[in-house]
């Protein structure tokens, strides 16, 4: 190759290499792993099953979007309609339409304290040792995002029941809960076969009027949180596709409870108690629609089993939960007292043989729960054996482990550099040709 040809090759490569390098950088997407460039911010959320298998489980994640925006120096207000939850595996999107619900905190302020609970549906099955990964996308006022919309897994309305009581009707995946507004307790839990596992009605005693959940306060102390009564004022405080929340306050304001109804169970939390007054949690109801003393089964968490016509008294060792199985239906009602204690519990059928009397913290008329630390969860399971019901119970009340990561900002799209061009070359003046 001549020196002149080699020089041309070198010059050509010098001109082309910068352009080729720019084209290579364009081939790598600047927003790799970012779900949608229309959203400015995201934070990673991890949810661990924490040792218990879950199925279609709702995770409650405490989150403060003001704090997340502060991390990147953004002082604008959160736009709640911008929220989206995307399940990921590394940079791969698994599901970009994860059902969620954001319940604002009581002291929520969009500018200074955009705090609350983000409920995320762990769709499908989650193994006991599995951790699920999500990106929560959010933006500020003015970003012009439409609110997400999901089918209701919890449908909460208000009706007047057949007995004239204003009633909260909450339908979830397992059945329909009926909660008396002025009684502050559940009057019915009707399953998919239209069997009522509580069965409150105005008939005397165990045939109707004594039934209910949680029937928490003894009549001598007011008889509060019992269907068919008028000593409480109740109202929805939150409603969404994944959870409805009911708060009940006695008319004397001395007692307060809260129920959270999820797609597959309902959870009671005691928020306020009258000074010095003990209470209990009761399930007084009708397994499978009618109490059948000889065939319905009462199964304790340690596996001890009796028929519904028998009785027991004593502290539940270890985990405190009891199931009521109707073998003919293949279904059970479970009641869980979250706190493992050494307080006496009991079960007996009523004098008429018409309803159950399960009492956490009860022995006869003695009631032994105190303070505001106690919770109870109730629900239905399509199983009757302990091996089938225990995983449902554990999934309902054993806590998940969740963590929120730092805020990430939308990557900036690089501005491409102009394509390099060669400097102009002087054109020589042709030499005159003599004629």
């Amino acid at each position: 190759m001549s020196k002149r040809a080699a020089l041309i090759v070198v010059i050509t490569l010098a001109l082309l290499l910068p352009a080729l390098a720019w084209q290579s950088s364009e081939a790598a997407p600047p927003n790799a792993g970012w779900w949608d460039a229309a959203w400015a911010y995201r934070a990673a959320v991890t949810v661990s099953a924490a040792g218990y298998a879950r199925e279609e489980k709702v995770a409650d994640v405490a989150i403060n979007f003001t704090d997340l925006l502060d991390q990147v120096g953004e002082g604008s207000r959160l736009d709640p309609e911008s929220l989206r939850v995307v399940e990921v595996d590394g940079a791969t999107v698994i599901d970009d339409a994860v059902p969620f619900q954001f319940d604002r905190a009581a002291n929520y302020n969009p500018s200074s304290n955009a705090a609350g609970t983000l409920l995320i549906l762990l769709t499908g099955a989650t193994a006991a040792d599995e951790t699920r990964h999500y990106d929560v996308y959010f933006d500020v006022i003015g970003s012009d995002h439409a609110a997400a919309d999901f089918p209701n897994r919890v449908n909460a309305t208000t009706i007047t029941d057949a007995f004239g009581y204003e009633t909260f009707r909450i339908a979830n995946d397992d059945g329909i809960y009926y909660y008396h507004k002025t009684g502050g307790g559940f009057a019915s839990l009707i399953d998919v076969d239209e069997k009522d596992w509580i069965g409150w009605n105005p008939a005397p005693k165990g045939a109707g009027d004594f039934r209910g959940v949680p029937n928490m306060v003894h009549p001598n102390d007011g008889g509060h949180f019992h269907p068919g009564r008028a000593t409480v004022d109740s109202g929805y405080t939150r409603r969404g596709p994944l959870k409805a929340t009911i708060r009940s306050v006695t008319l004397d304001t001395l007692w307060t409870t809260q129920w959270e109804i999820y797609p597959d169970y309902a959870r009671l939390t005691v928020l306020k108690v009258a000074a010095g007054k003990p209470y209990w949690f009761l399930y007084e109801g009708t397994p499978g629609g009618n109490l059948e003393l000889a065939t319905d089964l009462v199964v304790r968490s340690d596996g001890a089993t009796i028929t519904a016509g028998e009785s027991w008294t004593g502290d539940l060792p270890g985990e405190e939960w009891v199931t009521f199985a109707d073998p003919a239906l293949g279904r059970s009602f479970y009641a869980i007292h979250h706190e493992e204690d050494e307080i006496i519990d009991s079960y007996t059928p009523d004098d008429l043989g018409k309803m159950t009397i399960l009492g956490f913290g009860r022995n006869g008329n003695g009631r032994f729960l105190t303070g505001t630390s106690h919770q109870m969860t109730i629900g239905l399971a399509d199983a009757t054996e302990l091996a089938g019901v225990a995983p449902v119970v554990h999934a309902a009340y054993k806590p998940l482990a969740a963590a929120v990561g730092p805020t990430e900002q939308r990557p900036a799209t690089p501005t491409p550099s102009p394509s390099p061009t060669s400097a102009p070359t002087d054109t020589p003046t042709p030499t005159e040709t003599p004629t």
Side-chain angles (χ1 to χ4, degrees), residues 282-298:
L282 304 184
Y283 165 53
E284 296 182 304
T286 50
N290 291 290
L291 180 61
E292 297 170 310
L293 299 176
T295 57
D296 288 343
L297 301 176
V298 184

Side-chain angles (χ1 to χ4, degrees), residues 170 172 174 177 186 189 213 244 258-269 334-336 338 375-380 396:
I170 308 101
N172 69 1
D174 290 336
Y177 292 77
F186 287 108
L189 171 52
V213 176
Q258 176 175 278
W259 280 96
E260 298 166 287
I261 300 90
Y262 294 85
D264 50 356
Y265 55 86
R267 175 174 300 156
L268 166 68
T269 302
Y334 60 82
I336 309 162
H338 289 222
Q375 291 183 302
M376 180 172 75
T377 292
I378 62 172
L380 297 172

Side-chain angles (χ1 to χ4, degrees), residues 386-404:
L386 184 69
V389 178
V392 178
V393 169
H394 289 148
Y397 90 104
K398 292 293 186 179
L400 298 160
V404 180

